[in-house]
Amino acid sequence: MALLSLDNLAMYYALESEWVKAVDGISLSLDRGETVGIVGESGCGKTSLILSILRLLPENARFVGGRIVFDGMDLLKLPEQQMRRLRWRRISMIFQNAMNALNPVFRVGDQVAEALMAHEELSKREAETKVSSLFELVGLPGSRMNNYPHEFSGGMKQRAIIAMSLVCNPDLIIADEPTTALDVVVQDQVLRQIKEMQQERDFAMIVVSHDMSVIAETCEKVAVMYSGRVIEQGNSVSLFHDPRHPYTMGLLSSFPTLRGEKKRLSSIEGSPPDLSSLPEGCLFQPRCPYAKTICEKRPAMMDLGGQHFSECHFADDPQLRKTKLWGR
Amino acid sequence: MAASKLVSFLRTYKQNDMAVLGLVILGFSCALAVLAPVISPYDPFEQTNKLFSPPNLEHPFGTDNLGRDVLSRVVWGTRVSLLFGFGVAGISLALGIVLGAIPGYFGGLVDDLFSRFFEIYLMIPTLVLIILIISIFGTNLFFIMIIVGVTLWPSNARITRAQVLALKSRAFVQASVGSGASHLRVIFTHILPNGIYPVIVNSTLQMGNAILTEASLSFLGLGDVNQVSWGQILYVAQFHVKTAWWMAVFSGFAIMMLVLCFNLVGDGINFVMNPRLRRRTGDAGS
Amino acid sequence: MQPRQGSNPLIDVRKLKKYFPVRVTGLQRFSLRREGQRFVKAVDDVSFQISRGEIFALAGESGCGKTTTGKLLSLLETPSSGSIIYEGEDLANMKGRRMKHCRRRIQMIFQDPYESLDPRFTVMRTLLEPLLVHNIGTHSERNELVSSILEKVGLRPPRDFLMRYPHELSGGQRQRIAVARAMILNPTFIVADEPVSMLDVSVRAGILNLMLQFREELGITYLFITHDLAVARYMSNKIVIMYLGRMVEMGSTDEVLAQPIHFYTKLLMSAVPTPDPSAGRVRIKGISEVADPVNIPSGCSFHPRCQGRQEICAQLIPEMVDVGKGHLVACHKA
C-alpha cells in the first residue's frame, strides 16, 4: 500500500466573489522511501498542494473534493487534534527560505531541541543528545550546537533546518525548494546529504522545485503541475527522456545545460491562466504550439503504461513526439 | 494618473470605519472654520451683560465671564485650531523632510554631523523653550505657530532619514542614478514619494499635538489674546469650573474631538499604506 | 601578464579594487590598540578586457565580488583603486558632466524584476525618465521612442502596457521593461546582473534571447553576471570565474568550460546538476564552505579547499598566467 496517496484532491481559496482553484483534481501516490518531485512555475499551486497535505492552509481555504490518505488514514476527515499529532512526528516539512526562519536570538541547537521537545516527552538533556547525533547526521559538527544563526553560513542553516525536520523521525518529509537559496556547491552537498540520510532513515520525500535538474537527480517520480492540475507524471527517466505533454516538452527545452549539446532555448509565450477563471478546455491550449480544435475540450488523464500519465489529447500520438515543438 | 490614485486610495480608506469617522469630523470642522462668520449666531467678541448664563435657547453653549456667546467662540475657535494645526504640521513636515533627507541620502560625514545636531536639538526641553521665547518676544499667533513647528521637526527628520537610508540602496533608485539622474531628481521623484507615508502619519499626529500645545499655551496665559481659541476659553474657564462648567466642557470637548479625528485620519492613512493591517485574503497558491 | 587583445577593447579594466571598511562601532573606535582598519576585499585586483560586441560572463558564487564589479563598471560604485578605461577615458575618476554623458552609454539591468522598477511609476513614466534626464527629443518624440522600445522588447501592442504599474505585470514582463529602460538611450555597453535568476524557468529564455538579439542587431556589448554556469555557457563567448574577489580563471567560454584548469572551476562545474536522471555525474569532493570574506586565507584564497594544494599556495598569491589560446589561470600549478 502506498504511504501517501492523493485521490482527485481539490482545494480552492474563497475570495470575495470567486474561487481560486489552486488544487483542482490532483492524484498522486508515494511509497515508503520513495522521492517524488513536483515541478511547476510560480502560481501553479504547488505550495498550496503541499500545505494541503499538512492542512496548514489559511482561513479561506476550502477542501472541495477528493481525499488524502496517509498510511491508511483519511487526513481530511481527521480532527485537528489528531492532525497535530501527525504533524512533525510522521510528516514534517522544510519550508521555502527556511534558513530565515531561525530565530536570531536563540542558539541553533536549542531551537532544534525545542522542536523535538514539543513533540516528545524528553528532558532537555535527552533532547540535546539526540540533537547532537542529528547534527552529525546532517553533516554539522556537534560543537556548533551552541552557535547563533548568524554564526552559521547559509548552507549550515539549511542543514539545521533539515535536522529540525528529522527530529521525530518522520515517515515523510516535504521539502519546498530546499536548496533554492544556496550556492551550487553547497546545494550539491546538501542534496547528497539528504540522499544519504534517506537511505539510513528510510523516509519518503516530496521535493517541490522549479529547478528541473535538481528534480532529475533526486527524484524517482516526477509530477508536472500547471494551473492547479498535474498535467503529466511518471517516473523521472521516462518523463525526462520521453515527455508526453507539450508543456513538459516546453519546460525541458527552456533552460540551458552545462553539458551536452548547445541548442537554441525556447520560451513559452504568454502566461498561465488566472486560477480564478480557468478555461473550459485544456488549460495549456492558449499557449500550446500543437493545439487543435479538440483541445477546446478538457483532456482526460491518459494512462501511457509504466506509471506514466499525461493530460493531453495527443499524449500517445507519435506525431507529437516527432514534431519539434519548441526551438529551432 | 493622480486622480485615479486618489480614487483607489479613498476606496481602500473607506474600509476602515473609524478612519472614515475621523475624516467626517475633520470635514465638519473645516466647514465650521470656513463658514464661521455665517454660522455663528453672535460676534465672538461681542460682550453682553448676560454674564455666566448657563446653556439656554438663546445661547446654546451659555455665555462666559464677559457675556460672550460660548457657541460662537467655539465655532470661531475652530479656525485658530485648524490653522495652528496645519501650520505647525506643515512647518514641521517641510523642515523634517529636508533635514532628514540630506543626511539619509549623503551619508558619511554629513550624516554624522546632522545626527549630532539632532541629538543636541532633542535635548532642549521644548515647552520650556517655547514659553521662554514667547515670554520674551510676545504672543502673536503666527509667531507661536512658527516656534512650535520649529520644535517639532526632529521626529519627522528621524523618520525621513530612516526611510531615505532604506530606499537609497533599492534597485529602482540605483537604476535612476545609473540613468544619470541628478541627486535632486532621485530624491524628489523616487525616494520621497515612496518613503513619505510614515512621515505623513506622524504629521497628522503632530497636528493633534499642536492643537494641544496651543491650548496649553493659552491655558497658561501665553496665547494670543487677539484670537478666539479654545485654549483661550479654557484659560478663563479654569477659574470658574464649578460655577460655569459650560465654558470648560464645550471647549474641552472640541479640543478632544479634533485631536481624536487627526489620530483617526492618521490611522486611516496608515491602514491604506500598510496592506498587512488589512484582513489577509490568503495566498492564492504558488 | 595579460596579452593585449587585437583591436581596441571597449572596456579595459586594470587592477580594479574595491575594499569596504568593516564598520567599527561604539567603544572600539577609541581602542588604543587598533589592529588597523579591517576591510572586506570585495574586488581585489581584477583585470580584464571586453571587446566590442562581446558577451563577457562574470561567474562565481555569492560573495565572489561579481555584483560589486558590475556596480563598478556601471558607475554605481567608485573603485578604491585601479582604472576602467572606456573610450579612452578612465571611468574611475569621472565626475559631473562627463559622468552623466557616460551614463548614457553604459546601462545596467538588475536582478530583481520587481525591485528595479519604481512601484509608483507607470511603465510609460519609467521609460520616459532616462529621456527626460538627458533632455532627449520633444514631447511627442519621446512618446514615440517609448512606444518603439516597447515593441522592440516584445511587449505588443505598446499602448496596452504604457499605463500599467509594475504590480500588474508578470516577472517576465517586468524584466522586459528593465531591458527596455536600459536600451532606450541607445547604450553601447550593458551590465546585466543575474537578469534571469529570479524569473520562472520557461520565461528566462525569452529574456536571454532578447539580449542576444540586441547584440546581433545593434552590436550591444554585455557584461553578464551570473552564478549559473549553464546560462553563462549559453550566453557568453568569454568568461571569468571569480572567487572571493579575485579572478581564478579566464578565457573563451567554450574553452574554459570544456577544459577547466583551476580546481575551483572544476569544483563548480562538478556541482552543477544535470537534468537527466540517468546521467551520472563525476563529483569532486569539496572541502568545507566558502571562507569568510573578511578573513580571506593567505596566499591563494582557495588553498584551504584545494585538493592539489602545495606549500607555496598558502604563501604567495598566484598571478594569472596564460596557458595557451588566451586561457588564463591563477594557480601555482598551472
Side-chain angles (χ1 to χ4, degrees):
Chain A
M1 187 190 61
L3 176 66
L4 175 75
S5 92
L6 274 61
D7 189 11
N8 216 7
L9 181 67
M11 189 281 292
Y12 302 168
Y13 292 106
L15 280 192
E16 316 220 321
S17 52
E18 52 195 14
W19 292 106
V20 174
K21 299 183 181 174
V23 179
D24 195 18
I26 293 196
S27 302
L28 265 185
S29 76
L30 178 63
D31 290 324
R32 258 167 237 288
E34 205 177 24
T35 310
V36 161
I38 301 184
V39 184
E41 298 182 295
S42 45
C44 73
K46 51 191 200 293
T47 303
S48 293
L49 177 63
I50 53 185
L51 290 179
S52 296
I53 297 173
L54 277 169
R55 279 173 51 183
L56 285 176
L57 295 160
E59 210 185 75
N60 64 334
R62 309 267 181 274
F63 283 104
V64 175
R67 304 185 309 158
I68 305 176
V69 182
F70 176 75
D71 202 14
M73 295 178 278
D74 186 338
L75 293 186
L76 294 182
K77 294 216 167 68
L78 229 51
E80 174 61 23
Q81 246 203 357
Q82 286 185 281
M83 190 70 213
R84 218 180 299 146
R85 279 205 285 269
L86 264 186
R87 282 192 207 111
W88 228 258
R89 289 220 191 90
R90 310 233 18 229
I91 310 178
S92 71
M93 186 152 158
I94 300 171
F95 294 87
Q96 202 169 12
N97 276 323
M99 24 194 236
N100 297 325
L102 284 172
N103 192 326
V105 300
F106 291 109
R107 297 179 208 270
V108 179
D110 289 342
Q111 294 187 51
V112 181
E114 183 189 30
L116 179 55
M117 294 192 292
H119 294 274
E120 285 182 26
E121 296 286 320
L122 287 174
S123 73
K124 188 112 194 284
R125 185 127 306 168
E126 289 169 336
E128 279 174 7
T129 328
K130 268 204 167 182
V131 170
S132 172
S133 61
L134 254 179
F135 264 47
E136 308 274 330
L137 189 67
V138 299
L140 285 171
S143 56
R144 303 297 294 262
M145 263 179 68
N146 287 325
N147 283 146
Y148 287 92
H150 67 266
E151 296 172 297
F152 271 29
S153 69
M156 293 170 82
K157 279 191 267 197
Q158 196 66 345
R159 278 182 246 227
I161 292 295
I162 294 169
M164 224 189 269
S165 73
L166 282 171
V167 278
C168 303
N169 220 352
D171 300 302
L172 169 63
I173 296 185
I174 303 178
D176 188 0
E177 306 270 10
T179 55
T180 301
L182 302 174
D183 279 323
V184 68
V185 178
V186 180
Q187 171 179 279
D188 186 41
Q189 289 171 345
V190 169
L191 288 174
R192 238 184 313 158
Q193 202 89 54
I194 295 179
K195 274 299 187 187
E196 277 174 24
M197 292 184 312
Q198 200 178 13
Q199 300 206 340
E200 251 207 56
R201 295 269 186 113
D202 195 33
F203 51 82
M205 253 204 334
I206 297 180
V207 179
V208 173
S209 184
H210 66 273
D211 186 339
M212 298 199 85
S213 307
V214 166
I215 298 272
E217 289 201 351
T218 55
C219 306
E220 290 106 45
K221 278 203 331 222
V222 183
V224 180
M225 261 188 91
Y226 185 78
S227 278
R229 295 188 65 81
V230 170
I231 49 96
E232 185 168 359
Q233 60 173 302
N235 72 62
S236 50
V237 176
S238 54
L239 197 128
F240 277 87
H241 287 185
D242 186 23
R244 301 294 194 94
H245 192 291
Y247 178 62
T248 316
M249 295 174 183
L251 278 185
L252 288 171
S253 49
S254 67
F255 56 89
T257 55
L258 189 59
R259 306 159 186 106
E261 181 196 341
K262 245 210 235 187
K263 50 185 170 66
R264 177 98 178 158
L265 295 181
S266 57
S267 61
I268 306 178
E269 294 292 317
S271 341
D274 188 344
L275 288 175
S276 53
S277 53
L278 296 174
E280 295 284 313
C282 170
L283 297 169
F284 190 60
Q285 184 213 10
R287 307 165 75 191
C288 182
Y290 202 78
K292 315 252 188 279
T293 5
I294 190 180
C295 301
E296 278 163 35
K297 211 174 56 123
R298 266 295 168 96
M301 186 67 92
M302 215 183 283
D303 187 341
L304 302 161
Q307 296 283 308
H308 193 167
F309 300 89
S310 166
E311 223 173 62
C312 174
H313 293 292
F314 307 102
D316 58 355
D317 184 349
Q319 194 59 33
L320 174 68
R321 283 183 276 162
K322 271 192 269 174
T323 317
K324 200 161 198 288
L325 280 182
W326 306 98
R328 280 183 250 132
Chain B
M1 291 187 291
S4 66
K5 277 232 160 134
L6 188 64
V7 168
S8 76
F9 179 93
L10 287 173
R11 207 180 305 142
T12 318
Y13 187 93
K14 73 174 176 15
Q15 287 176 17
N16 183 339
D17 298 328
M18 294 307 283
V20 173
L21 180 66
L23 204 56
V24 165
I25 298 176
L26 184 61
F28 179 66
S29 312
C30 289
L32 275 186
V34 169
L35 297 172
V38 175
I39 294 183
S40 76
Y42 301 89
D43 178 352
F45 293 105
E46 185 191 340
Q47 299 175 15
T48 68
N49 50 16
K50 294 203 200 86
L51 308 182
F52 294 118
S53 54
N56 53 41
L57 279 172
E58 260 185 49
H59 299 277
F61 282 8
T63 61
D64 67 1
N65 60 322
L66 294 176
R68 298 175 291 197
D69 175 40
V70 176
L71 173 61
S72 306
R73 287 179 72 76
V74 170
V75 169
W76 275 85
T78 315
R79 286 195 165 189
V80 169
S81 296
L82 282 177
L83 186 69
F84 200 81
F86 284 118
V88 166
I91 293 172
S92 159
L93 186 70
L95 276 178
I97 288 179
V98 171
L99 294 175
I102 294 176
Y105 188 79
F106 292 105
L109 191 63
V110 174
D111 191 10
D112 283 344
L113 284 175
F114 269 78
S115 294
R116 299 293 88 73
F117 174 58
F118 286 177
E119 284 160 21
I120 294 172
Y121 199 94
L122 285 168
M123 285 195 299
I124 303 170
T126 50
L127 197 60
V128 173
L129 178 70
I130 294 172
I131 294 174
L132 191 69
I133 292 184
I134 289 176
S135 311
I136 299 176
F137 293 107
T139 59
N140 178 282
L141 183 72
F142 282 100
F143 197 64
I144 299 175
M145 193 169 81
I146 293 171
I147 295 295
V148 176
V150 167
T151 55
L152 286 182
W153 64 261
S155 63
N156 283 337
R158 275 257 180 90
I159 298 173
T160 307
R161 175 180 170 275
Q163 291 289 93
V164 170
L165 268 178
L167 282 166
K168 73 172 175 180
S169 54
R170 285 181 62 178
F172 64 87
V173 173
Q174 300 263 292
S176 181
V177 172
S179 305
S182 64
H183 295 309
L184 222 60
R185 179 185 279 270
V186 172
I187 294 178
F188 281 98
T189 61
H190 288 289
I191 296 186
L192 286 181
N194 275 295
I196 206 164
Y197 285 108
V199 184
I200 289 184
V201 173
N202 193 47
S203 289
T204 58
L205 295 177
Q206 286 192 332
M207 282 182 212
N209 219 342
I211 291 167
L212 283 174
T213 307
E214 188 279 322
S216 312
L217 290 173
S218 298
F219 189 71
L220 292 173
L222 295 171
D224 189 344
V225 290
N226 298 319
Q227 305 283 349
V228 181
S229 82
W230 297 335
Q232 291 280 335
I233 303 176
L234 276 177
Y235 174 59
V236 180
Q238 68 180 302
F239 304 110
H240 307 284
V241 174
K242 287 220 189 95
T243 49
W245 55 266
W246 50 91
M247 287 171 68
V249 165
F250 292 115
S251 52
F253 185 72
I255 293 174
M256 188 192 84
M257 285 308 281
L258 197 58
V259 172
L260 178 68
C261 101
F262 278 124
N263 273 284
L264 292 177
V265 171
D267 277 351
I269 298 178
N270 209 16
F271 175 80
V272 175
M273 285 356 285
N274 250 335
R276 275 165 284 174
L277 291 175
R278 296 179 238 152
R279 198 165 47 91
R280 292 276 309 275
T281 52
D283 220 312
S286 80
Chain C
M1 282 315 316
Q2 276 188 69
R4 283 269 161 251
Q5 285 182 7
S7 53
N8 240 352
L10 182 67
I11 302 260
D12 188 359
V13 176
R14 296 181 192 166
K15 296 181 154 324
L16 195 60
K17 289 189 186 165
K18 180 67 180 173
Y19 291 4
F20 291 104
V22 177
R23 289 206 67 175
V24 234
T25 50
L27 294 173
Q28 286 176 338
R29 242 194 282 247
F30 301 103
S31 158
L32 292 170
R33 259 188 308 115
R34 284 271 297 273
E35 7 168 70
Q37 176 70 63
R38 294 204 304 171
F39 291 94
V40 172
K41 297 183 181 173
V43 178
D44 196 9
D45 199 7
V46 164
S47 308
F48 56 82
Q49 294 177 329
I50 307 179
S51 304
R52 228 163 271 276
E54 224 171 36
I55 299 186
F56 192 91
L58 199 55
E61 297 175 290
S62 51
C64 72
K66 53 191 198 295
T67 300
T68 311
T69 306
K71 288 205 169 146
L72 289 168
L73 261 68
S74 56
L75 305 171
L76 290 172
E77 289 270 8
T78 42
S80 305
S81 73
S83 55
I84 306 168
I85 314 288
Y86 172 75
E87 289 186 347
E89 291 181 79
D90 188 359
L91 296 177
N93 296 311
M94 217 170 259
K95 289 192 187 354
R97 188 156 294 168
R98 256 335 270 164
M99 191 186 237
K100 188 167 173 180
H101 172 82
C102 280
R103 289 202 193 277
R104 269 184 81 162
R105 326 277 282 138
I106 302 176
Q107 282 292 302
M108 190 152 168
I109 299 173
F110 297 84
Q111 180 177 9
D112 188 335
Y114 193 54
E115 277 290 296
S116 66
L117 303 177
D118 189 330
R120 306 176 80 257
F121 276 22
T122 55
V123 167
M124 173 83 166
R125 184 64 186 82
T126 298
L127 293 176
L128 269 181
E129 184 170 62
L131 301 174
L132 292 171
V133 166
H134 294 275
N135 243 316
I136 295 177
T138 65
H139 178 78
S140 54
E141 281 170 351
R142 287 194 282 263
N143 291 348
E144 235 332 284
L145 280 171
V146 169
S147 295
S148 92
I149 198 73
L150 281 173
E151 288 258 2
K152 289 205 200 119
V153 298
L155 292 173
R156 304 187 187 98
R159 65 170 177 278
D160 278 357
F161 292 93
L162 289 173
M163 288 301 140
R164 299 242 209 119
Y165 287 94
H167 67 265
E168 295 172 325
L169 302 169
S170 71
Q173 289 168 328
R174 288 181 214 137
Q175 206 62 327
R176 282 178 197 261
I177 304 287
V179 174
R181 177 180 55 196
M183 290 295 303
I184 201 167
L185 288 174
N186 266 323
T188 50
F189 179 57
I190 291 185
V191 174
D193 187 0
E194 309 243 29
V196 294
S197 52
M198 293 186 76
L199 297 177
D200 274 332
V201 174
S202 70
V203 172
R204 291 181 189 186
I207 303 292
L208 294 177
N209 290 339
L210 183 66
M211 291 173 68
L212 288 175
Q213 184 191 330
F214 282 133
R215 198 259 303 246
E216 276 166 37
E217 291 173 7
L218 302 167
I220 310 279
T221 309
Y222 291 94
L223 177 69
F224 195 93
I225 300 172
T226 181
H227 66 273
D228 186 338
L229 288 179
V231 171
R233 181 183 179 222
Y234 183 72
M235 292 295 286
S236 66
N237 51 309
K238 280 262 192 49
I239 190 170
V240 62
I241 313 277
M242 282 181 75
Y243 182 75
L244 286 181
R246 299 197 192 129
M247 305 190 296
V248 298
E249 191 158 0
M250 180 163 74
S252 94
T253 309
D254 290 332
E255 172 69 24
V256 170
L257 295 181
Q259 315 264 14
I261 298 177
H262 198 285
F263 283 104
Y264 179 61
T265 315
K266 291 184 189 171
L267 177 64
L268 260 190
M269 289 187 62
S270 77
V272 176
T274 320
D276 184 348
S278 49
R281 180 156 56 94
V282 179
R283 288 182 166 99
I284 294 183
K285 278 227 153 197
I287 309 159
S288 78
E289 300 188 359
V290 183
D292 178 7
V294 183
N295 286 318
I296 296 181
S298 59
C300 169
S301 39
F302 187 68
H303 82 260
R305 301 171 71 184
C306 187
Q307 286 188 306
R309 65 170 175 270
Q310 302 164 319
E311 230 187 84
I312 190 178
C313 300
Q315 293 158 356
L316 197 61
I317 300 176
E319 299 255 321
M320 290 283 263
V321 287
D322 190 340
V323 296
K325 296 190 275 180
H327 187 163
L328 285 82
V329 191
C331 178
H332 292 298
K333 275 191 130 179

